[in-house]
Amino acid sequence: MQSIKNYDPCYFLPEFKGSEYNGEWPTLPELFNITTRRFPDNACFTDFEGPEGSRNSLTYSQVKANIAALADFLAANGLQHGDRVAVTGKNSPEWATAYLATLYAGGVVCPLDYALHETELENLMNTARPKFLFVDDEKFDHFAKGDFAKSIGCKVYSLSPKRREEYVYNLKATSKAEITPATVDELAAILFTSGTTGVPKGVMLTHKNLVSDCFAAQTKMILYPTDVFYALLPIHHAYTMLAVFIETISVGAEVVFGKSLAVSRMMKELEEGHITMLLGVPLLFNKLAAGILKGIRDKGSVVYGIMRFLMGLSYFIKKVFRINPGKKIFKAVLKQAHISTVRIAICGGGPLAPSVFRFFNEMGIDFVQGYGLTETSPIITLNPVEHFKIQSVGQVFEKYEQMKILDPDEKGVGEIAVKGCMVMQGYYNMPEETAKVFTEDGWFKTGDLGWLDKENYLMLSGRAKNMIVTEGGKNVYPEEIEDAFQLETDIEQIMVRGYVANKDTRSEELEALIYPADDMLKRLGVSREDKLADTAVKSELETIVSKINKGLQPYQRITKITVLDKPLEMTTTKKIKRNVNI
């Protein structure tokens, strides 16, 4: 494998300057055209929706033909330059085709979260005012037969072959219409980050934002046309959209669309899809690591001791000599976990416990963390595969951006701010909200707290709005404490927050809201409905919390536990929504 040192991921672009594109960067359609010229017969889109779950694959040439046909249909049926098209559904080749066809037709794509209720989707569409909506089967009738789409002048089509007449692959233009392609500085997508019930906040991203960020990420790792990415997390989210979908089509790789987080299906797709690039969130990797470790422990203390020794040795060799022996040493374990083909695993969407980060590197998988926001397309830091730091969420892309810490405290911790080609144009039709997140001299304020080391690696501390200030004036970042529990398999969810421990002094201490795992309840022989079991469950959790507290600073320690009988609501990237009233 080629070394990342002095590697230029854009090495092939000059060959196509003047023929396929003329701007500073290619647009997304121009990038797809370039890749199709380079790798016309490579597998592009794959799913397991064939008979009895068999594999379906389309080559780049076949995908481009589908995209071109749909783009012609959109243009012939009234889509004009800059018009919006909404896409909402499960991950699928059809979803990706509708996304790209919108851009080929000169439109702006609005990917919407399919997990939202119909009324919430209507609220987002009422702001975006799309001319077309592509929607999966479960919600098709609501929009196709209801009054809402008609009221905003939106035509509704299907991502599912069950609706033959309206199916995305069956839509053909009956006449030819002129298409005005977007330029690289024009809008490509509007991604909604909030406002499903209130005022929607749509992040405006240009072709330049997305394409430049795609190549910036590749300065920290080399991607190959032989790679196979796994689109398991919802593709409407900026993380999967860029780090899986757009990265794939930039290098001629293959993307396998996962439609479900069901374990049996995921294991089948990982193994039969020969996945080499696995991107996920902390919850996914925590569960994967915990499952593998449990399997090793079940073999007895002697085997477990030997394995832990080998894991430590593997990690030492990898860090010191930059040789990766783990893939061979632990081949059988990785195969049993269906990840033996994985070349690189990337965690985003939230900070990961260092122990989990280290575990996968010990096992021989190049495992790194990244960081970003929807407003930054989204990636703004990524650990280099060859020089990662466990405690960091990645190194700054120095050729593409600038980063600084605003108002740092005595430890160098402050709000992270960034400038660069991947930073959004603003919030859709919300100039006042846009102004709030930029400094007067143009720095985007992330709302996250962290610090930079001498090599420009970023260390996250937490969200500025989540920070807790103790009576002694110490700043506590709840995310850092929650990270310490990531390998505790008896805890399904934990959220740390401040509470008023003394009403007279108004001093804050730390409370942990904990939703215990089914395995713990099963081991204790109790059910969630059994109120008499509360004491036993709480006692078990207090033991775990006490153990973790010993490794924390005194001002970081949890002093109150609340046991939850229902799980906390989560975002689509499996982060807990913190605005709970319990």
Side-chain angles (χ1 to χ4, degrees), residues 563-576:
V563 183
L564 305 176
D565 54 6
K566 291 182 180 177
L568 294 162
E569 191 178 356
M570 302 183 84
T571 68
T572 52
T573 52
K574 304 304 176 187
K575 288 186 286 190
I576 290 171

Side-chain angles (χ1 to χ4, degrees), residues 28-46 57-68 97 100 104 223-229 244-257:
L28 284 165
E30 289 167 343
L31 183 60
F32 195 86
N33 289 342
I34 290 168
T35 302
T36 304
R37 279 183 60 181
R38 296 175 72 207
F39 309 105
D41 300 321
N42 276 19
C44 180
F45 294 164
T46 295
S57 283
L58 296 171
T59 66
Y60 274 85
S61 293
Q62 290 170 323
V63 169
K64 186 181 175 184
N66 288 338
I67 292 168
T97 299
L100 288 170
Y104 267 77
L223 303 180
Y224 300 95
T226 51
D227 274 322
V228 183
F229 286 74
V244 178
F245 175 41
I246 294 175
E247 292 289 2
T248 294
I249 64 174
S250 74
V251 297
E254 177 183 4
V255 58
V256 172
F257 293 94

Side-chain angles (χ1 to χ4, degrees), residues 4 216-222 277 315 319 344-348 351-352 357 361 366-372 379-397 401 453 455-460:
I4 195 70
Q218 291 179 46
T219 62
K220 305 300 179 189
M221 65 180 63
I222 299 174
M277 301 293 297
Y315 185 77
K319 282 296 284 183
I344 298 176
I346 304 173
C347 185
L352 189 73
F357 193 153
N361 277 293
D366 287 331
F367 190 97
V368 296
Q369 287 193 84
Y371 163 73
I379 310 171
I380 46 176
T381 65
L382 190 64
N383 262 287
V385 169
E386 295 179 1
H387 185 40
F388 62 87
K389 294 187 180 182
I390 278 185
Q391 68 274 30
S392 172
V393 290
Q395 191 178 33
V396 176
F397 305 130
E401 66 185 352
D453 73 5
E455 293 183 287
N456 261 351
Y457 281 76
L458 178 65
M459 319 295 165
L460 276 189

Side-chain angles (χ1 to χ4, degrees), residues 269-563:
E269 290 170 347
L270 276 168
E271 186 170 11
E272 296 183 19
H274 303 291
I275 305 301
T276 66
M277 301 293 297
L278 179 60
L279 285 81
V281 292
L283 181 67
L284 172 68
F285 291 116
N286 291 341
K287 287 186 175 294
L288 198 54
I292 294 171
L293 282 170
K294 183 178 183 298
I296 296 172
R297 283 195 192 97
D298 289 346
K299 294 184 184 298
S301 58
V302 175
V303 172
Y304 181 71
I306 293 170
M307 290 291 283
R308 292 300 297 189
F309 169 76
L310 290 173
M311 288 162 68
L313 180 63
S314 168
Y315 185 77
F316 173 79
I317 293 170
K318 187 174 187 182
K319 282 296 284 183
V320 175
F321 300 104
R322 299 195 177 179
I323 298 169
N324 185 4
K327 266 288 182 76
K328 290 184 178 179
I329 297 173
F330 304 111
K331 183 178 180 180
V333 176
L334 295 173
K335 192 168 181 61
Q336 190 172 0
H338 305 280
I339 55 173
S340 61
T341 60
V342 172
R343 186 171 70 85
I344 298 176
I346 304 173
C347 185
L352 189 73
S355 55
V356 180
F357 193 153
R358 176 173 173 135
F359 169 79
F360 284 102
N361 277 293
E362 287 174 337
M363 297 298 290
I365 291 175
D366 287 331
F367 190 97
V368 296
Q369 287 193 84
Y371 163 73
L373 303 90
T374 303
E375 289 89 340
T376 56
S377 301
I379 310 171
I380 46 176
T381 65
L382 190 64
N383 262 287
V385 169
E386 295 179 1
H387 185 40
F388 62 87
K389 294 187 180 182
I390 278 185
Q391 68 274 30
S392 172
V393 290
Q395 191 178 33
V396 176
F397 305 130
E398 293 181 353
K399 292 182 181 178
Y400 293 81
E401 66 185 352
Q402 297 170 272
M403 185 177 287
K404 69 178 180 179
I405 305 300
L406 302 177
D407 302 320
D409 63 16
E410 68 279 0
K411 293 181 179 179
V413 174
E415 185 174 5
I416 302 157
V418 64
K419 265 186 183 182
C421 49
M422 67 285 289
V423 176
M424 69 166 182
Q425 306 309 292
Y427 297 116
Y428 186 61
N429 290 339
M430 299 180 79
E432 291 182 2
E433 290 296 320
T434 300
K436 288 178 184 177
V437 296
F438 284 92
T439 64
E440 289 185 3
D441 53 350
W443 290 83
F444 172 69
K445 298 182 290 184
T446 65
D448 287 325
L449 299 169
W451 57 279
L452 290 164
D453 73 5
K454 293 178 181 179
E455 293 183 287
N456 261 351
Y457 281 76
L458 178 65
M459 319 295 165
L460 276 189
S461 297
R463 290 291 294 175
K465 64 182 179 182
N466 297 334
M467 187 177 73
I468 301 161
V469 182
T470 68
E471 185 180 18
K474 295 287 189 180
N475 295 341
V476 178
Y477 309 108
E479 294 91 344
E480 290 183 343
I481 299 165
E482 291 160 4
D483 287 348
F485 289 85
Q486 287 191 17
L487 283 180
E488 294 297 333
T489 55
D490 282 341
I491 293 177
E492 182 73 22
Q493 291 180 330
I494 181 168
M495 190 185 86
V496 175
R497 67 181 183 182
Y499 77 99
V500 178
N502 187 316
K503 291 181 180 179
D504 295 328
T505 63
R506 302 294 298 168
S507 63
E508 273 195 302
E509 294 184 14
L510 302 186
E511 174 189 17
L513 305 180
I514 300 176
Y515 183 67
D518 289 338
D519 284 350
M520 173 198 277
L521 302 180
K522 186 176 179 182
R523 192 178 70 250
L524 295 175
V526 300
S527 66
R528 295 192 193 277
E529 296 76 26
D530 184 3
K531 292 300 176 186
L532 295 175
D534 285 356
T535 303
V537 172
K538 193 162 187 177
S539 175
E540 196 81 2
L541 292 175
E542 283 173 348
T543 301
I544 296 171
V545 170
S546 177
K547 180 184 74 173
I548 297 296
N549 271 346
K550 289 176 182 176
L552 300 172
Q553 295 297 320
Y555 64 87
Q556 294 178 310
R557 289 171 185 165
I558 294 163
T559 57
K560 179 181 177 183
I561 295 173
T562 298
V563 183

Side-chain angles (χ1 to χ4, degrees), residues 261-274:
L261 284 170
V263 174
S264 59
R265 177 160 184 149
M266 186 173 74
M267 294 298 105
K268 170 187 168 70
E269 290 170 347
L270 276 168
E271 186 170 11
E272 296 183 19
H274 303 291

